[in-house]
Amino acid sequence: MGSNSSRIGDLPKNEYLKKLSGTESVSENDPFWNQLLSFSFPAPTNSTELKLLEEATISVCRSLVVNNPRTGNLGALIKVFLSRTKELKLSAECQNHIFIWQTHNALFIICCLLKAFICEMSEEELQLHFTYEEKAPGSYSSDSEDLLEELLCCLMQLITDIPLLDITYEISVEAVSTMVVFLSCQLFHKEVLRQSISHKYLMRGRCLPYTSKLVKTLLYNFIRQEKPPPPGAQVLPQQSEGGGLLYGLASGVATGLWTVFTLGGVGSKAAASPELPSPLANQSLLLLLVLANLTDAADAPNPYRQAIMSFKNTQDSSPFPSSIPHTFQINFNSLYTALCEQQTSDQATLLLYTLLHQNSNVRTYMLARTDMENLVLPILEILYHVEERNSHHVYMALIILLILTEDDGFNRSIHEVILKNITWYSERVLTEISLGSLLILVVIRTIQYNMTRTRDKYLHTNCLAALANMSAQFRSLHQYAAQRIISLFSLLSKKHNKVLEQATQSLRGSLSSNDDPLPDYAQDLNVIEEVIRMMLEIINSCLTNSLHHNPNLVYALLYKRDLFEQFRTHPSFQDIMQNIDLVITFFSSRLLQAGAELSVERVLEIIKQGAVALPKDRLKKFPELKFKYVEEEQPEEFFIPYVWSLVYNSAVGLYWNPQDIQLFTLDSD
């Protein structure tokens, strides 16, 4: 290959790769490494490009898997990298482009090889390749140095200690990606891994002291959303000749691997930029979520989850409790801004859920914000475009709303925030509406979508629980929101009548024929009656707690009062119907006294006057509606596959062959 241009298909024939993967041992002090590491090419930015690279180098990787027990060349490469990283911080400060460039290339090769090894073997077999000491075939020393732990610890130091500059951006991304690869054994197991060698390294020993610093750095990488530097800024200015991809090296170091080649072939343009504006922020967030969802060790909880659960605001001057390890401080205002801006991605929504659910400091801070619309509106937009989102993203958004609505202060304040011209809401022009009314509209729309499409009881439950939590604090409901509440009840009533009719007909048919089994209409009827009961409780809660604040709801109730007739004597709804029936009767009487042909404005005026005159003691008191989100008993059974599906489908940085993946019980959307 030499210094001539090459196609990606020529990589298996490359003399340096063949030597690395061949039967000859290469000392870590051999000049070969300088030659191997002096390559340049456009870094792969998406799964398609990485797939091409993997397919071209698979024979090299498999050859190394076979020969490494005799040669130890993988260990020698890692030692070369480890020795270079000791000077990396100084090299960054001194702008030593060549040194950083070659160190990055070493890590890039290690990451590619590591991923190939993990695909081919168990963790125990992988560990043997990293504990190689002797040159004799198959000889491994029990007290030999464990390069796997040393490499992992080195990556953590690299991520946390190397300053983020143009020349260090790519190696920072590569370090984060390599850590994700270290943990990717999970992809090749159908069950959740509860004991793993990589987990053991991360949760004890030399890596443990870096816990809080690593979590803090990954969070700040997400917050900063640093864009990659322009081509050529990372290492050295590019030559204007020879395809523009070979770095000009005054030292005359021979170029060995991928010289002057692009992933699209000789002479083609570099691949298009990734859609994600910040590969480092994206990869850091994915690694953070992977670490946060590692299962606890047998003798100790997950320290990364502990760090995420306990970190505080930089404005918080209170001392850290001695009982809480791995805690740190971070700027909550910057974190809040980043979370508000990044909610279009699953991983950012999952981080928001994790922080709201597990970190009481973050939850308290967010609920005290006076600009909650910046956070709530992106969540509502996720739910509004439910048909474009995967079900897990929708669930996370709903659970976030449920957690927020557990707070009465939030439920009051959202009705005080007035929004104008919500452009993404297309059913109706909303020139002015409160955040609370918009939330009600979107949640009801989600329920109706679920009723006609997915029919997921869990989704119904969370939607109704959020509405129920809010109901006592409903204030100045927009007329459209009030209409939609009653329209949803109308839809449920029709569904109830239909199922009841089907059950009756089926029962009659069974009297004449015993051949066919009866459909389980009783169960369907029970489910829909539970939902109707919940809707009646939500309406009742609003009427008993804030009737005088919601004339539009009373108006909608009176306009559709015939809907409630059939439930007045129904044994499942009689108690809850007392108050609703009282309100309907009271206001109907006042409207009747006012005469016929009343305008909408006049009706609303009568309702407002009547709300003051209605004796409150006649309304029966019911227990306050309060629903609290409770995580499943084994949340890792949901979250670990979910997180790895996000890694697997990430637009930047990693590729795994779908045929090799064992974990996913999730949709790959």
Side-chain angles (χ1 to χ4, degrees):
M1 185 168 170
S3 60
N4 297 319
S5 60
S6 171
R7 297 191 310 273
I8 191 170
D10 292 336
L11 288 177
K13 305 172 189 174
N14 180 273
E15 58 181 294
Y16 297 103
L17 285 179
K18 288 171 71 175
K19 185 171 182 178
L20 173 68
S21 61
T23 57
E24 177 188 348
S25 295
V26 183
S27 165
E28 60 194 271
N29 300 313
D30 196 299
F32 161 80
W33 299 110
N34 278 336
Q35 298 168 328
L36 173 72
L37 301 179
S38 297
F39 66 86
S40 65
F41 73 103
T45 58
N46 56 49
S47 293
T48 301
E49 294 175 352
L50 280 155
K51 181 180 180 181
L52 291 172
L53 181 61
E54 179 171 284
E55 289 173 348
T57 56
I58 191 167
S59 61
V60 173
C61 294
R62 286 179 176 170
S63 178
L64 185 63
V65 168
V66 172
N67 293 323
N68 188 66
R70 291 183 291 275
T71 65
N73 287 344
L74 176 61
L77 171 61
I78 290 169
K79 288 179 181 178
V80 169
F81 170 73
L82 293 174
S83 67
R84 286 170 173 269
T85 55
K86 294 173 184 176
E87 302 175 42
L88 200 56
K89 191 172 183 179
L90 180 62
S91 298
E93 293 171 357
C94 298
Q95 297 283 304
N96 189 335
H97 293 249
I98 295 176
F99 188 89
I100 295 171
W101 167 51
Q102 290 190 336
T103 308
H104 166 268
N105 288 349
L107 182 55
F108 177 77
I109 296 174
I110 290 169
C111 186
C112 292
L113 293 175
L114 179 63
K115 186 161 69 68
F117 273 56
I118 288 174
C119 292
E120 294 285 332
M121 62 188 68
S122 67
E123 275 194 300
E124 290 74 17
E125 293 172 307
L126 176 68
Q127 192 175 33
L128 291 178
H129 282 272
F130 277 80
T131 52
Y132 177 84
E133 190 70 26
E134 301 292 334
K135 296 298 182 184
S139 174
Y140 296 94
S141 172
S142 60
D143 59 350
S144 59
E145 185 179 28
D146 190 345
L147 286 176
L148 190 62
E149 182 177 22
E150 191 170 347
L151 177 59
L152 193 53
C153 192
C154 175
L155 290 172
M156 297 175 81
Q157 291 175 316
L158 197 160
I159 293 168
T160 56
D161 294 345
I162 302 302
L164 188 59
L165 309 169
D166 278 358
I167 60 172
T168 61
Y169 188 93
E170 293 299 336
I171 196 170
S172 296
V173 174
E174 205 62 53
V176 174
S177 296
T178 305
M179 279 201 68
V180 174
V181 169
F182 256 113
L183 295 163
S184 66
C185 290
Q186 177 64 83
L187 284 169
F188 307 97
H189 291 78
K190 291 181 180 179
E191 300 79 23
V192 169
L193 285 180
R194 301 186 183 279
Q195 291 185 332
S196 166
I197 292 172
S198 55
H199 295 189
K200 179 187 71 175
Y201 288 137
L202 285 167
M203 294 190 187
R204 57 173 62 89
R206 296 173 56 193
C207 293
L208 190 60
Y210 289 94
T211 296
S212 58
K213 198 172 182 181
L214 178 63
V215 171
K216 183 177 182 178
T217 302
L218 295 174
L219 274 172
Y220 268 128
N221 286 346
F222 167 71
I223 289 169
R224 288 193 294 252
Q225 293 289 317
E226 288 283 353
K227 296 181 179 179
Q234 298 97 320
V235 186
L236 289 172
Q238 295 179 355
Q239 287 184 338
S240 59
E241 299 177 0
L245 294 170
L246 177 62
Y247 291 109
L249 302 182
S251 61
V253 176
T255 54
L257 181 64
W258 297 305
T259 308
V260 202
F261 99 95
T262 69
L263 289 167
V266 181
S268 67
K269 295 181 180 179
S273 299
E275 292 182 9
L276 293 171
S278 176
L280 179 60
N282 182 66
Q283 296 297 83
S284 295
L285 179 51
L286 291 172
L287 175 58
L288 183 66
L289 293 172
V290 169
L291 292 171
N293 286 283
L294 296 178
T295 53
D296 293 335
D299 55 349
N302 177 349
Y304 304 93
R305 189 182 302 125
Q306 284 185 315
I308 286 171
M309 291 172 64
S310 60
F311 70 82
K312 301 193 303 181
N313 194 357
T314 50
Q315 304 300 315
D316 187 348
S317 58
S318 61
F320 290 113
S322 57
S323 59
I324 303 178
H326 313 301
T327 192
F328 58 91
Q329 289 180 294
I330 202 167
N331 188 308
F332 277 16
N333 183 59
S334 300
L335 177 61
Y336 179 81
T337 301
L339 286 166
C340 292
E341 292 174 350
Q342 300 300 319
Q343 286 306 304
T344 51
S345 74
D346 279 71
Q347 45 265 45
T349 304
L350 182 53
L351 176 64
L352 174 59
Y353 157 78
T354 302
L355 295 177
L356 277 174
H357 178 51
Q358 298 185 358
N359 190 313
S360 59
N361 300 320
V362 173
R363 184 169 60 254
T364 301
Y365 173 85
M366 288 187 176
L367 288 168
R369 294 283 302 204
T370 57
D371 59 348
M372 277 299 291
E373 67 273 16
N374 292 336
L375 186 69
V376 175
L377 281 172
I379 298 300
L380 295 183
E381 198 167 353
I382 292 168
L383 295 176
Y384 186 78
H385 298 293
V386 59
E387 65 278 356
E388 300 171 14
R389 305 290 182 184
N390 70 67
S391 60
H392 304 93
H393 199 181
V394 172
Y395 279 142
M396 289 299 103
L398 272 177
I399 293 169
I400 287 167
L401 287 185
L402 180 55
I403 293 171
L404 293 174
T405 60
E406 291 171 16
D407 183 78
D408 286 341
F410 170 83
N411 295 330
R412 285 190 296 270
S413 65
I414 56 175
H415 292 288
E416 298 167 1
V417 178
I418 304 301
L419 308 168
K420 295 187 177 181
N421 299 318
I422 308 300
T423 55
W424 48 262
Y425 194 96
S426 59
E427 270 90 341
R428 177 169 175 155
V429 176
L430 299 175
T431 54
E432 187 171 288
I433 190 171
S434 71
L435 179 60
S437 289
L438 181 64
L439 195 158
I440 292 167
L441 285 175
V442 173
V443 170
I444 287 176
R445 184 180 183 274
T446 306
I447 293 172
Q448 291 180 320
Y449 176 86
N450 186 52
M451 285 175 65
T452 57
R453 304 286 182 88
T454 58
R455 301 183 182 181
D456 187 328
K457 184 181 177 181
Y458 182 76
L459 191 143
H460 268 336
T461 302
N462 281 299
C463 287
L464 291 168
L467 289 177
N469 285 346
M470 296 168 58
S471 59
Q473 276 83 34
F474 283 173
R475 294 289 188 277
S476 304
L477 287 183
H478 191 280
Q479 60 180 13
Y480 186 51
Q483 289 171 19
R484 298 307 295 160
I485 291 172
I486 304 304
S487 294
L488 176 58
F489 185 80
S490 175
L491 186 65
L492 292 167
S493 300
K494 291 175 183 176
K495 195 170 183 64
H496 178 268
N497 293 339
K498 183 179 179 180
V499 174
L500 194 59
E501 183 182 347
Q502 288 173 334
T504 304
Q505 291 177 352
S506 180
L507 186 61
R508 287 172 183 165
S510 67
L511 296 176
S512 58
S513 173
N514 295 320
D515 297 336
D516 300 322
L518 282 173
D520 194 358
Y521 288 115
Q523 184 177 350
D524 291 346
L525 201 61
N526 183 56
V527 169
I528 198 166
E529 286 186 353
E530 283 181 13
V531 176
I532 288 174
R533 169 83 190 187
M534 190 81 150
M535 282 301 301
L536 288 172
E537 288 179 340
I538 289 167
I539 294 170
N540 178 72
S541 175
C542 177
L543 295 178
T544 53
N545 290 284
S546 54
L547 181 146
H548 58 293
H549 289 299
N550 292 290
N552 284 325
L553 181 62
V554 177
Y555 183 98
L557 198 65
L558 293 171
Y559 190 74
K560 293 285 188 179
R561 53 182 173 262
D562 293 346
L563 284 174
F564 298 88
E565 282 292 330
Q566 61 179 308
F567 300 108
R568 184 180 294 171
T569 57
H570 194 292
S572 299
F573 311 119
Q574 268 184 318
D575 59 335
I576 203 73
M577 276 299 302
Q578 289 180 28
N579 286 342
I580 296 172
D581 195 36
L582 173 64
V583 169
I584 290 174
T585 303
F586 176 82
F587 284 99
S588 294
S589 173
R590 294 182 74 91
L591 290 175
L592 194 62
Q593 293 172 13
E597 303 294 331
L598 299 175
S599 66
V600 173
E601 291 75 16
R602 177 61 181 147
V603 172
L604 286 171
E605 185 183 339
I606 293 169
I607 290 172
K608 290 175 184 177
Q609 293 169 353
V612 178
L614 177 67
K616 302 296 187 294
D617 56 352
R618 291 176 59 189
L619 294 173
K620 181 181 177 181
K621 290 292 182 183
F622 286 87
E624 184 181 6
L625 291 178
K626 272 299 172 187
F627 293 88
K628 189 175 179 64
Y629 169 68
V630 179
E631 202 168 64
E632 299 292 330
E633 288 186 10
Q634 289 187 306
E636 63 270 15
E637 300 291 344
F638 171 84
F639 286 104
I640 290 176
Y642 180 30
V643 168
W644 278 105
S645 74
L646 298 181
V647 174
Y648 178 79
N649 290 300
S650 173
V652 176
L654 299 169
Y655 168 76
W656 283 276
N657 188 336
Q659 296 177 345
D660 296 333
I661 304 305
Q662 298 294 313
L663 175 67
F664 297 120
T665 55
L666 300 176
D667 296 333
S668 60
D669 56 1

